[in-house]
Amino acid sequence: MEKLVLTEEETMLADMARGYLDGAAPVAKLRKMRDANETHDAALWKEMAEMGWAGVLVPEAQGGSDMGYAAANVLAREMGKTLTVSPFISSAVIAATALRQVADARAEAALARIAAGEATYALAVDEGIKFDPEATQMTARADGNGFRLSGKKQFVVDGAMADRLLVLARTENGLTLFDIPADRAGVTRDRSNMIDARDAARITFDDVEATGEDVLGQVDQAMNVLKPALMAGQGALAAEMTGLAAGAFDMTVGYIKERKQFGVEIARFQALQHRAAHLWCEIEVTASAILNAGRMMDADPENAALAVSLAKARATQTATLAVQEGVQMHGGIGMTDAYDMGFYMKRARVGAEWLGDYSYHAEQVAAARGF
């Protein structure tokens, strides 16, 4: 049985990413972006593309590094530690995976643009208060040789800055996935004020024209393309949240080693030691689940759903525990904006909802196990 630990190559990738992100995208940068009301750093994304991160899942023939899902999750976890703001999950993971399901020249050209950092994507799926792609009500009405898209999408992460949108709509006999420019006539994007200071939008489609070439995959068969992309995104998001938990844990341990009470560092208090040890164990177990999900996606994507949902459910639970313990162990100052722990808590809350919350993935795990 393969051990669920990083390989030598994955360790080197993580170390390289950590060295870059600590300097280029620390939490302090997120604070500055929040204060300046900025939600995208184009220069940072360009640098990531130059390092090959944007093309981590893009075939070498299209200019990518094609390192696989386990490697993508390694990068996502390191980004989570410093709450890096980038379209990595939306573009390099979700969109790249969707495009890889379609073997045509148009998809290959789009993959090349993603790898080069020349195109960013956002996934427009959510319509209600919870993640439920199968319940999509947005319509794609047949119009000659094309379609007319009408409806609304919300919680579109990276939706305000993306160049292109992957849009799920209901056609006559099922669901169809469209790949359209974000500035097409009839598309209105309203930026959402996300609590974690990351880009998101509510998007209205008012009789938007879509041609047959805009269909990604086959008409009425969206899930053949979208399901692998969703699993890839869920796995990478779980990895990011596990990195978030590790970042919050490191910050908390650093604080309790310095904070004194009655002249003694509070890290010497046995109760806090027990809580810190419990959190560390939870993070390590969840990290193993993330590794398993990435390797299942690489080796056997048709049967990876259970591993991915388990990873996302555990990551949600672990990140929530990490930020709650972080705030409590920081005491009253943990609730203030002067300390960075609040940024971790807000990101954890948004990550918990994106691409399916704990209940959604717990139900998926239960169903896969026959309950």
PDB file of all heavy atoms in Angstrom, residues 220-246:
ATOM      1  N   ASP A 220     -26.598  18.865 -23.807  1.00  0.00           N
ATOM      2  CA  ASP A 220     -27.346  18.026 -22.855  1.00  0.00           C
ATOM      3  C   ASP A 220     -26.456  17.058 -22.079  1.00  0.00           C
ATOM      4  O   ASP A 220     -26.962  16.236 -21.307  1.00  0.00           O
ATOM      5  CB  ASP A 220     -28.453  17.220 -23.552  1.00  0.00           C
ATOM      6  CG  ASP A 220     -29.510  18.084 -24.214  1.00  0.00           C
ATOM      7  OD1 ASP A 220     -29.797  19.175 -23.678  1.00  0.00           O
ATOM      8  OD2 ASP A 220     -30.030  17.679 -25.266  1.00  0.00           O
ATOM      9  N   GLN A 221     -25.146  17.135 -22.256  1.00  0.00           N
ATOM     10  CA  GLN A 221     -24.233  16.198 -21.587  1.00  0.00           C
ATOM     11  C   GLN A 221     -23.162  16.949 -20.782  1.00  0.00           C
ATOM     12  O   GLN A 221     -21.991  16.559 -20.779  1.00  0.00           O
ATOM     13  CB  GLN A 221     -23.572  15.282 -22.627  1.00  0.00           C
ATOM     14  CG  GLN A 221     -24.524  14.472 -23.461  1.00  0.00           C
ATOM     15  CD  GLN A 221     -25.300  13.451 -22.632  1.00  0.00           C
ATOM     16  OE1 GLN A 221     -24.758  12.872 -21.694  1.00  0.00           O
ATOM     17  NE2 GLN A 221     -26.558  13.237 -22.978  1.00  0.00           N
ATOM     18  N   ALA A 222     -23.557  17.996 -20.097  1.00  0.00           N
ATOM     19  CA  ALA A 222     -22.591  18.857 -19.403  1.00  0.00           C
ATOM     20  C   ALA A 222     -21.759  18.108 -18.374  1.00  0.00           C
ATOM     21  O   ALA A 222     -20.556  18.361 -18.228  1.00  0.00           O
ATOM     22  CB  ALA A 222     -23.320  20.016 -18.725  1.00  0.00           C
ATOM     23  N   MET A 223     -22.370  17.169 -17.637  1.00  0.00           N
ATOM     24  CA  MET A 223     -21.668  16.556 -16.522  1.00  0.00           C
ATOM     25  C   MET A 223     -20.499  15.692 -16.966  1.00  0.00           C
ATOM     26  O   MET A 223     -19.594  15.430 -16.174  1.00  0.00           O
ATOM     27  CB  MET A 223     -22.635  15.761 -15.657  1.00  0.00           C
ATOM     28  CG  MET A 223     -23.733  16.605 -15.012  1.00  0.00           C
ATOM     29  SD  MET A 223     -23.153  18.139 -14.212  1.00  0.00           S
ATOM     30  CE  MET A 223     -22.251  17.469 -12.816  1.00  0.00           C
ATOM     31  N   ASN A 224     -20.502  15.253 -18.223  1.00  0.00           N
ATOM     32  CA  ASN A 224     -19.347  14.496 -18.713  1.00  0.00           C
ATOM     33  C   ASN A 224     -18.082  15.350 -18.683  1.00  0.00           C
ATOM     34  O   ASN A 224     -16.976  14.837 -18.500  1.00  0.00           O
ATOM     35  CB  ASN A 224     -19.595  14.010 -20.143  1.00  0.00           C
ATOM     36  CG  ASN A 224     -20.672  12.955 -20.230  1.00  0.00           C
ATOM     37  OD1 ASN A 224     -21.003  12.326 -19.223  1.00  0.00           O
ATOM     38  ND2 ASN A 224     -21.242  12.772 -21.406  1.00  0.00           N
ATOM     39  N   VAL A 225     -18.250  16.642 -18.875  1.00  0.00           N
ATOM     40  CA  VAL A 225     -17.131  17.580 -18.848  1.00  0.00           C
ATOM     41  C   VAL A 225     -16.990  18.213 -17.467  1.00  0.00           C
ATOM     42  O   VAL A 225     -15.882  18.381 -16.947  1.00  0.00           O
ATOM     43  CB  VAL A 225     -17.322  18.685 -19.904  1.00  0.00           C
ATOM     44  CG1 VAL A 225     -16.257  19.770 -19.783  1.00  0.00           C
ATOM     45  CG2 VAL A 225     -17.311  18.083 -21.297  1.00  0.00           C
ATOM     46  N   LEU A 226     -18.120  18.551 -16.860  1.00  0.00           N
ATOM     47  CA  LEU A 226     -18.098  19.328 -15.626  1.00  0.00           C
ATOM     48  C   LEU A 226     -17.740  18.499 -14.392  1.00  0.00           C
ATOM     49  O   LEU A 226     -17.043  18.987 -13.503  1.00  0.00           O
ATOM     50  CB  LEU A 226     -19.455  20.004 -15.421  1.00  0.00           C
ATOM     51  CG  LEU A 226     -19.564  20.975 -14.247  1.00  0.00           C
ATOM     52  CD1 LEU A 226     -18.523  22.082 -14.371  1.00  0.00           C
ATOM     53  CD2 LEU A 226     -20.964  21.562 -14.166  1.00  0.00           C
ATOM     54  N   LYS A 227     -18.177  17.262 -14.325  1.00  0.00           N
ATOM     55  CA  LYS A 227     -17.923  16.463 -13.118  1.00  0.00           C
ATOM     56  C   LYS A 227     -16.436  16.323 -12.817  1.00  0.00           C
ATOM     57  O   LYS A 227     -16.010  16.570 -11.677  1.00  0.00           O
ATOM     58  CB  LYS A 227     -18.572  15.085 -13.242  1.00  0.00           C
ATOM     59  CG  LYS A 227     -18.404  14.237 -11.975  1.00  0.00           C
ATOM     60  CD  LYS A 227     -19.090  12.883 -12.103  1.00  0.00           C
ATOM     61  CE  LYS A 227     -18.855  12.047 -10.844  1.00  0.00           C
ATOM     62  NZ  LYS A 227     -19.494  10.710 -10.951  1.00  0.00           N
ATOM     63  N   PRO A 228     -15.593  15.947 -13.791  1.00  0.00           N
ATOM     64  CA  PRO A 228     -14.157  15.881 -13.480  1.00  0.00           C
ATOM     65  C   PRO A 228     -13.583  17.234 -13.065  1.00  0.00           C
ATOM     66  O   PRO A 228     -12.714  17.303 -12.186  1.00  0.00           O
ATOM     67  CB  PRO A 228     -13.531  15.401 -14.801  1.00  0.00           C
ATOM     68  CG  PRO A 228     -14.639  14.757 -15.547  1.00  0.00           C
ATOM     69  CD  PRO A 228     -15.870  15.513 -15.170  1.00  0.00           C
ATOM     70  N   ALA A 229     -14.079  18.310 -13.684  1.00  0.00           N
ATOM     71  CA  ALA A 229     -13.590  19.647 -13.345  1.00  0.00           C
ATOM     72  C   ALA A 229     -13.982  20.029 -11.923  1.00  0.00           C
ATOM     73  O   ALA A 229     -13.192  20.631 -11.181  1.00  0.00           O
ATOM     74  CB  ALA A 229     -14.139  20.663 -14.344  1.00  0.00           C
ATOM     75  N   LEU A 230     -15.205  19.693 -11.533  1.00  0.00           N
ATOM     76  CA  LEU A 230     -15.654  19.980 -10.168  1.00  0.00           C
ATOM     77  C   LEU A 230     -14.831  19.198  -9.154  1.00  0.00           C
ATOM     78  O   LEU A 230     -14.424  19.743  -8.118  1.00  0.00           O
ATOM     79  CB  LEU A 230     -17.139  19.642 -10.010  1.00  0.00           C
ATOM     80  CG  LEU A 230     -18.121  20.569 -10.720  1.00  0.00           C
ATOM     81  CD1 LEU A 230     -19.543  20.028 -10.591  1.00  0.00           C
ATOM     82  CD2 LEU A 230     -18.043  21.991 -10.171  1.00  0.00           C
ATOM     83  N   MET A 231     -14.586  17.925  -9.432  1.00  0.00           N
ATOM     84  CA  MET A 231     -13.783  17.123  -8.505  1.00  0.00           C
ATOM     85  C   MET A 231     -12.377  17.688  -8.375  1.00  0.00           C
ATOM     86  O   MET A 231     -11.821  17.747  -7.275  1.00  0.00           O
ATOM     87  CB  MET A 231     -13.737  15.669  -8.957  1.00  0.00           C
ATOM     88  CG  MET A 231     -15.031  14.910  -8.761  1.00  0.00           C
ATOM     89  SD  MET A 231     -14.812  13.106  -8.834  1.00  0.00           S
ATOM     90  CE  MET A 231     -14.161  12.908 -10.489  1.00  0.00           C
ATOM     91  N   ALA A 232     -11.810  18.114  -9.487  1.00  0.00           N
ATOM     92  CA  ALA A 232     -10.473  18.706  -9.447  1.00  0.00           C
ATOM     93  C   ALA A 232     -10.475  19.971  -8.591  1.00  0.00           C
ATOM     94  O   ALA A 232      -9.570  20.189  -7.766  1.00  0.00           O
ATOM     95  CB  ALA A 232      -9.996  19.021 -10.863  1.00  0.00           C
ATOM     96  N   GLY A 233     -11.492  20.815  -8.789  1.00  0.00           N
ATOM     97  CA  GLY A 233     -11.595  22.037  -8.006  1.00  0.00           C
ATOM     98  C   GLY A 233     -11.824  21.768  -6.538  1.00  0.00           C
ATOM     99  O   GLY A 233     -11.242  22.433  -5.666  1.00  0.00           O
ATOM    100  N   GLN A 234     -12.669  20.787  -6.225  1.00  0.00           N
ATOM    101  CA  GLN A 234     -12.939  20.437  -4.829  1.00  0.00           C
ATOM    102  C   GLN A 234     -11.686  19.918  -4.143  1.00  0.00           C
ATOM    103  O   GLN A 234     -11.405  20.257  -2.987  1.00  0.00           O
ATOM    104  CB  GLN A 234     -14.064  19.404  -4.775  1.00  0.00           C
ATOM    105  CG  GLN A 234     -15.423  19.981  -5.136  1.00  0.00           C
ATOM    106  CD  GLN A 234     -16.425  18.945  -5.596  1.00  0.00           C
ATOM    107  OE1 GLN A 234     -16.074  17.784  -5.872  1.00  0.00           O
ATOM    108  NE2 GLN A 234     -17.687  19.336  -5.708  1.00  0.00           N
ATOM    109  N   GLY A 235     -10.895  19.113  -4.865  1.00  0.00           N
ATOM    110  CA  GLY A 235      -9.656  18.608  -4.289  1.00  0.00           C
ATOM    111  C   GLY A 235      -8.654  19.713  -4.028  1.00  0.00           C
ATOM    112  O   GLY A 235      -8.012  19.757  -2.968  1.00  0.00           O
ATOM    113  N   ALA A 236      -8.510  20.627  -4.983  1.00  0.00           N
ATOM    114  CA  ALA A 236      -7.571  21.738  -4.812  1.00  0.00           C
ATOM    115  C   ALA A 236      -8.033  22.693  -3.720  1.00  0.00           C
ATOM    116  O   ALA A 236      -7.212  23.217  -2.945  1.00  0.00           O
ATOM    117  CB  ALA A 236      -7.401  22.485  -6.128  1.00  0.00           C
ATOM    118  N   LEU A 237      -9.337  22.920  -3.630  1.00  0.00           N
ATOM    119  CA  LEU A 237      -9.863  23.787  -2.579  1.00  0.00           C
ATOM    120  C   LEU A 237      -9.654  23.148  -1.209  1.00  0.00           C
ATOM    121  O   LEU A 237      -9.303  23.830  -0.241  1.00  0.00           O
ATOM    122  CB  LEU A 237     -11.351  24.058  -2.813  1.00  0.00           C
ATOM    123  CG  LEU A 237     -12.058  24.928  -1.771  1.00  0.00           C
ATOM    124  CD1 LEU A 237     -11.379  26.289  -1.638  1.00  0.00           C
ATOM    125  CD2 LEU A 237     -13.527  25.107  -2.137  1.00  0.00           C
ATOM    126  N   ALA A 238      -9.839  21.832  -1.125  1.00  0.00           N
ATOM    127  CA  ALA A 238      -9.570  21.128   0.130  1.00  0.00           C
ATOM    128  C   ALA A 238      -8.104  21.279   0.517  1.00  0.00           C
ATOM    129  O   ALA A 238      -7.767  21.483   1.691  1.00  0.00           O
ATOM    130  CB  ALA A 238      -9.932  19.651  -0.014  1.00  0.00           C
ATOM    131  N   ALA A 239      -7.223  21.191  -0.469  1.00  0.00           N
ATOM    132  CA  ALA A 239      -5.794  21.373  -0.200  1.00  0.00           C
ATOM    133  C   ALA A 239      -5.506  22.786   0.288  1.00  0.00           C
ATOM    134  O   ALA A 239      -4.727  22.991   1.234  1.00  0.00           O
ATOM    135  CB  ALA A 239      -4.989  21.072  -1.463  1.00  0.00           C
ATOM    136  N   GLU A 240      -6.126  23.777  -0.357  1.00  0.00           N
ATOM    137  CA  GLU A 240      -5.936  25.165   0.074  1.00  0.00           C
ATOM    138  C   GLU A 240      -6.403  25.349   1.511  1.00  0.00           C
ATOM    139  O   GLU A 240      -5.742  26.013   2.317  1.00  0.00           O
ATOM    140  CB  GLU A 240      -6.704  26.110  -0.847  1.00  0.00           C
ATOM    141  CG  GLU A 240      -6.544  27.570  -0.466  1.00  0.00           C
ATOM    142  CD  GLU A 240      -7.418  28.503  -1.293  1.00  0.00           C
ATOM    143  OE1 GLU A 240      -6.944  28.956  -2.347  1.00  0.00           O
ATOM    144  OE2 GLU A 240      -8.568  28.769  -0.882  1.00  0.00           O
ATOM    145  N   MET A 241      -7.538  24.747   1.853  1.00  0.00           N
ATOM    146  CA  MET A 241      -8.068  24.894   3.206  1.00  0.00           C
ATOM    147  C   MET A 241      -7.197  24.188   4.235  1.00  0.00           C
ATOM    148  O   MET A 241      -7.080  24.639   5.380  1.00  0.00           O
ATOM    149  CB  MET A 241      -9.503  24.367   3.257  1.00  0.00           C
ATOM    150  CG  MET A 241     -10.479  25.176   2.420  1.00  0.00           C
ATOM    151  SD  MET A 241     -12.159  24.551   2.513  1.00  0.00           S
ATOM    152  CE  MET A 241     -12.610  25.034   4.183  1.00  0.00           C
ATOM    153  N   THR A 242      -6.565  23.085   3.837  1.00  0.00           N
ATOM    154  CA  THR A 242      -5.642  22.415   4.747  1.00  0.00           C
ATOM    155  C   THR A 242      -4.397  23.263   4.956  1.00  0.00           C
ATOM    156  O   THR A 242      -3.854  23.330   6.068  1.00  0.00           O
ATOM    157  CB  THR A 242      -5.260  21.030   4.195  1.00  0.00           C
ATOM    158  OG1 THR A 242      -6.449  20.276   3.953  1.00  0.00           O
ATOM    159  CG2 THR A 242      -4.399  20.260   5.181  1.00  0.00           C
ATOM    160  N   GLY A 243      -3.934  23.924   3.901  1.00  0.00           N
ATOM    161  CA  GLY A 243      -2.830  24.870   4.049  1.00  0.00           C
ATOM    162  C   GLY A 243      -3.217  26.025   4.948  1.00  0.00           C
ATOM    163  O   GLY A 243      -2.423  26.486   5.781  1.00  0.00           O
ATOM    164  N   LEU A 244      -4.451  26.495   4.797  1.00  0.00           N
ATOM    165  CA  LEU A 244      -4.983  27.556   5.649  1.00  0.00           C
ATOM    166  C   LEU A 244      -4.940  27.121   7.115  1.00  0.00           C
ATOM    167  O   LEU A 244      -4.511  27.886   7.992  1.00  0.00           O
ATOM    168  CB  LEU A 244      -6.420  27.856   5.218  1.00  0.00           C
ATOM    169  CG  LEU A 244      -7.270  28.882   5.939  1.00  0.00           C
ATOM    170  CD1 LEU A 244      -8.398  29.331   5.015  1.00  0.00           C
ATOM    171  CD2 LEU A 244      -7.888  28.333   7.223  1.00  0.00           C
ATOM    172  N   ALA A 245      -5.368  25.883   7.372  1.00  0.00           N
ATOM    173  CA  ALA A 245      -5.352  25.367   8.740  1.00  0.00           C
ATOM    174  C   ALA A 245      -3.929  25.314   9.286  1.00  0.00           C
ATOM    175  O   ALA A 245      -3.669  25.678  10.443  1.00  0.00           O
ATOM    176  CB  ALA A 245      -5.989  23.971   8.782  1.00  0.00           C
ATOM    177  N   ALA A 246      -2.987  24.884   8.442  1.00  0.00           N
ATOM    178  CA  ALA A 246      -1.584  24.818   8.871  1.00  0.00           C
ATOM    179  C   ALA A 246      -1.030  26.213   9.138  1.00  0.00           C
ATOM    180  O   ALA A 246      -0.276  26.423  10.104  1.00  0.00           O
ATOM    181  CB  ALA A 246      -0.753  24.105   7.805  1.00  0.00           C
TER     182      ALA A 246
END
